[in-house]
Amino acid sequence: MGRRIGMGPDGAGNLWLGALFVLTCLAAVFPVRCAPDAASQMQFLLDFQQASGGTFPGWVAGGNCSSAANVTCDARGMVTSMNLRAVGLTGSIPSTISSMVSLTRLDLKWNKLRGSMPSGIDNLRNLCYLDLGYNALTGSVPSTIGNMSSLTYLNLGYNNLTGSVPSTIGNMRSLSYLNLGWNTLTGSIPSTIGDMSSLTTLDLGSNFISAIPETLGGLLNLRNLYLNNNSLSGSIPDSITTLVNLQALDLNSNLLSHTIPGSIGSLTNLQSLSLHNNNLSGSIPDSISELVPLISLWLYNNSLSGSIPDSISKLVNLGWLLVGHNRLTGRIPPTISSLTRLFFLNVSGNNLSGQLPTAMGSLTGLYLLDVSGNNLTGQLPPAMGSFFGLILLNISDTAITCPRNNSSCVVPQTTLSALCKNCPSFCSTCRKPPPAPPSPYPPPSSPSLPSPSISTPLSPSQQPPSTTISTPSPPPPSQTTMSSSQSEGGLSVGAIAGIAAAGGVAILGLLLLGLMVFKRRRTKGAATKRRTGVDVRGKDLAMENALQEPVLPEEPYTSE
C-alpha cells in the first residue's frame, strides 16, 4: 500500500514564500508601469514650467488642470491638449513628458527649446498633433518616432536636427502632414516613405538630402512636395510625375541636371512649379502647356535652350513667368498676350531677339517687366503707357527704343516713374493723370488765422519730390490778399488790414461750423482720406506679393 504524501502547514508557507520571491524578481526585471493620474500630470506641468523658465497662470503646486492656462483636460482631469505656441519657452523638454499619455495635441512651436527630443515621447500613443517647429532642437530624429501611429500632423522643421530620416517613419501611415525642413539632415529619403499613403504635404526642404526613392511615386494623395535647397542630383525622377494630385512642386536650388521630363504635363492639378537654380538643360517641354491651373512657373537660372513655346498661351491663370538667365533663343511669342493675369514677367539674360510683340500692350496687369540682357530691338509698345500698376521696367542691355512723344497721353504715376527711368524723352511731354477733386471734408486739425506776410513760392528746383498725386488746395490767403503797397480804390492800409482780419475770423467760424456738421459723417479713416484715384496701399501690397514666390499655406493649423 503506497504512502500518501501530504503537505503540512510548513510546506504551504514555504510555497507561498517561494512564489513571492519569484514575483519580486520578475517585478525587478519587468517593472509594472501604472497609468499616471491627474496629479502626476500636473506635476509634469510644474517641472516643465521650471525647466523652461516660463511662468503660466494656474500652473501652481496643488492646482488642478482646469486652472492651468493653455491646457485642456478631459472629465477625469487628464491633460489632453497643450497649446504653448510662441510663449518664450527655453530649456529642454523633460523626459517625464512620457507620463502625458492622454495628450492628443502638443504645440510648442516658435519657442527657444533646445536639447534633443525626449526619448519617451513615443509613449504618447494617443497624440495626433505634434508641432516642435521653429526651436533650437538638436540631435537626430529618434527611430522610435515610428511608434506614434496615431499622429496625423508632425512638424519638426526649423531646428538643428542632424542625421538621416529614420526608415521607421514609414510606419506612420496615418500621417498627412510631415515637415522636417530647415534642418541639417543628410542621406537619402528612406524608401519606406512610400508606405505613408495618407501623406498630403511633405516638406524636406533646406537640408542635405541627396536622393529621391522611386517609391515616392506611390504617394498618390500628395498635394505639396517641397524638396528645395538640398543636394539632389541627376535627373528629375519620373516617379514624381505620377503624383497626379500635386498642387505645389518645389525642387529649386539643387544640382538637378538633364531635361525637364515631358511627362510633367500629367500633373494637371499643379498650381506652382519651381525648378529654378538647377543645371537643367534642353528645351521647355511643350507638354507644360497642359498645366492649365498653373499660377507660377519658375525656371530661371538653368541652362534651358530653344524657344519659349507658343503653347504657353494656354496657361491662362499664370501670374508669375520667370525664365530669365537661361539660353533661350528666338522671339517672345505674340501669343503671350493671352496671359492676361500675368503681372511678373522676367525673360532677362537670354539670347532672345526680335521686337517686343505689340500685343503685349494687352497685358495691362503687369507690375514687373524685365527683358534686359537680350538681343531685342524695336520700340516699347506705346500701350504700355496706360499700364496702371507697372512699377519696374528693365530694358537695359537691349536695343529697345522708347515710345514716341505723345502730348495727349495720360500715364498713371507709378507707370510714369517706371517709364521715365528708361525713357526720359517719353516723359518730357507726357502729362500725368488729372488730379482728383478736393475732399469735401475739412482738414482734421484746427485751422489757424492766415499769416499777413506774403510767402515766396518755391522754384521748380526747390520743390520737394512727390511720389503721389496731390489734391489741389485753394491758394493761401497771402497770395490772394493785396500787399500794403497795392491798396485799391483809395483804401488805406489800416482799412485793408481790418477787412483781412474780419475775413479771417469769418473763415475760421465757417470752418469750425463745417467740422461740427461733418463730424458724424466721418467713418474710420475715410473722412480725411484724399481720393486720388490711386489706391497707394493696395499698390504697395500688390508689389510685395509680386516680388515673392507664391507658396501654399504651410499647415492646416486651427487654434483650440
Side-chain angles (χ1 to χ4, degrees):
M1 182 177 229
R3 182 181 176 183
R4 184 176 180 182
I5 301 175
M7 182 177 292
D10 293 340
N14 291 335
L15 181 61
W16 282 110
L17 287 175
L20 180 62
F21 175 76
V22 172
L23 290 174
T24 303
C25 294
L26 290 174
V29 177
F30 305 104
V32 178
R33 294 185 179 180
C34 299
D37 57 10
S40 65
Q41 293 199 358
M42 194 66 194
Q43 186 59 46
F44 163 76
L45 297 181
L46 294 175
D47 293 342
F48 190 26
Q49 177 179 242
Q50 183 177 6
S52 66
T55 301
F56 309 102
W59 292 33
V60 294
N64 55 55
C65 182
S66 60
S67 63
N70 306 99
V71 171
T72 305
C73 304
D74 59 16
R76 301 171 300 158
M78 304 291 281
V79 178
T80 58
S81 174
M82 294 176 60
N83 184 8
L84 298 175
R85 173 176 289 203
V87 293
L89 296 175
T90 58
S92 58
I93 304 173
S95 60
T96 51
I97 195 173
S98 59
S99 65
M100 310 295 284
V101 293
S102 298
L103 266 182
T104 60
R105 181 187 183 93
L106 177 59
D107 190 345
L108 304 178
K109 186 177 183 179
W110 281 321
N111 285 290
K112 299 178 182 178
L113 295 170
R114 57 185 184 274
S116 60
M117 293 181 61
S119 56
I121 200 169
D122 62 298
N123 196 42
L124 309 182
R125 301 297 174 86
N126 293 312
L127 200 64
C128 299
Y129 184 103
L130 177 59
D131 196 336
L132 303 178
Y134 292 87
N135 281 285
L137 299 175
T138 54
S140 60
V141 180
S143 59
T144 54
I145 202 168
N147 298 330
M148 305 178 74
S149 56
S150 296
L151 271 183
T152 60
Y153 183 99
L154 175 60
N155 182 11
L156 303 178
Y158 289 86
N159 281 287
N160 298 315
L161 299 174
T162 56
S164 59
V165 181
S167 59
T168 54
I169 206 165
N171 298 333
M172 307 173 75
R173 300 187 180 182
S174 298
L175 202 64
S176 64
Y177 181 94
L178 174 59
N179 185 354
L180 301 178
W182 288 89
N183 285 287
T184 52
L185 300 174
T186 57
S188 59
I189 302 173
S191 59
T192 54
I193 203 163
D195 297 330
M196 304 176 72
S197 55
S198 299
L199 211 57
T200 59
T201 295
L202 175 60
D203 189 347
L204 294 173
S206 296
N207 282 287
F208 296 94
I209 303 295
S210 56
I212 303 173
E214 289 293 328
T215 55
L216 190 69
L219 303 179
L220 298 182
N221 291 312
L222 202 62
R223 294 199 300 267
N224 307 302
L225 178 59
Y226 305 105
L227 300 176
N228 53 292
N229 295 90
N230 275 289
S231 302
L232 300 174
S233 57
S235 58
I236 298 174
D238 286 331
S239 58
I240 286 183
T241 63
T242 64
L243 305 175
V244 293
N245 288 310
L246 268 187
Q247 296 177 10
L249 173 59
D250 192 347
L251 300 176
N252 90 78
S253 302
N254 279 285
L255 303 172
L256 296 172
S257 55
H258 304 292
T259 61
I260 300 174
S263 54
I264 196 86
S266 62
L267 303 179
T268 53
N269 290 301
L270 208 59
Q271 298 178 26
S272 176
L273 177 59
S274 302
L275 302 178
H276 52 284
N277 293 331
N278 279 289
N279 297 319
L280 298 172
S281 57
S283 60
I284 300 174
D286 193 65
S287 59
I288 214 165
S289 63
E290 302 300 321
L291 310 180
V292 178
L294 204 63
I295 297 174
S296 66
L297 178 59
W298 301 65
L299 301 177
Y300 66 87
N301 283 347
N302 279 288
S303 298
L304 298 173
S305 56
S307 60
I308 301 174
D310 289 330
S311 58
I312 205 169
S313 60
K314 295 180 181 179
L315 304 180
V316 293
N317 294 300
L318 206 60
W320 287 265
L321 176 57
L322 289 88
V323 294
H325 296 280
N326 280 285
R327 300 174 183 174
L328 299 175
T329 56
R331 61 197 178 105
I332 298 176
T335 54
I336 204 171
S337 61
S338 300
L339 308 180
T340 54
R341 297 186 179 182
L342 200 64
F343 56 89
F344 196 160
L345 175 59
N346 187 340
V347 296
S348 63
N350 282 288
N351 297 313
L352 298 173
S353 56
Q355 299 184 4
L356 290 180
T358 305
M360 283 184 65
S362 63
L363 302 179
T364 55
L366 274 180
Y367 278 97
L368 299 103
L369 174 61
D370 191 347
V371 296
S372 62
N374 282 286
N375 299 319
L376 298 170
T377 59
Q379 191 181 93
L380 275 177
M384 283 188 178
S386 62
F387 284 11
F388 183 82
L390 191 64
I391 56 176
L392 187 149
L393 171 65
N394 192 352
I395 57 174
S396 60
D397 297 322
T398 68
I400 295 175
T401 60
C402 299
R404 296 174 182 174
N405 293 339
N406 185 354
S407 59
S408 64
C409 70
V410 175
V411 183
Q413 179 71 16
T414 53
T415 304
L416 191 66
S417 300
L419 287 174
C420 288
K421 184 176 180 180
N422 295 274
C423 304
S425 61
F426 179 77
C427 297
S428 61
T429 56
C430 192
R431 65 183 176 88
K432 301 178 183 179
S439 171
Y441 302 107
S445 59
S446 299
S448 58
L449 290 174
S451 172
S453 62
I454 302 176
S455 59
T456 305
L458 296 175
S459 65
S461 61
Q462 295 174 320
Q463 293 286 350
S466 174
T467 57
T468 58
I469 304 172
S470 60
T471 303
S473 58
S478 59
Q479 294 179 353
T480 58
T481 306
M482 291 181 295
S483 67
S484 59
S485 61
Q486 292 178 327
S487 59
E488 185 176 316
L491 291 176
S492 64
V493 174
I496 294 175
I499 294 172
V505 172
I507 293 174
L508 175 60
L510 289 173
L511 290 176
L512 291 176
L513 179 61
L515 283 173
M516 295 174 62
V517 172
F518 291 107
K519 184 177 181 180
R520 294 185 180 180
R521 297 181 57 185
R522 295 171 62 187
T523 56
K524 186 177 181 181
T528 58
K529 179 179 178 182
R530 298 182 183 275
R531 306 191 182 278
T532 62
V534 179
D535 190 349
V536 178
R537 176 178 295 183
K539 178 263 296 181
D540 289 342
L541 289 176
M543 176 180 66
E544 278 187 12
N545 293 333
L547 290 173
Q548 297 179 3
E549 178 177 356
V551 293
L552 295 177
E554 175 197 342
E555 56 188 82
Y557 175 75
T558 55
S559 59
E560 286 292 315

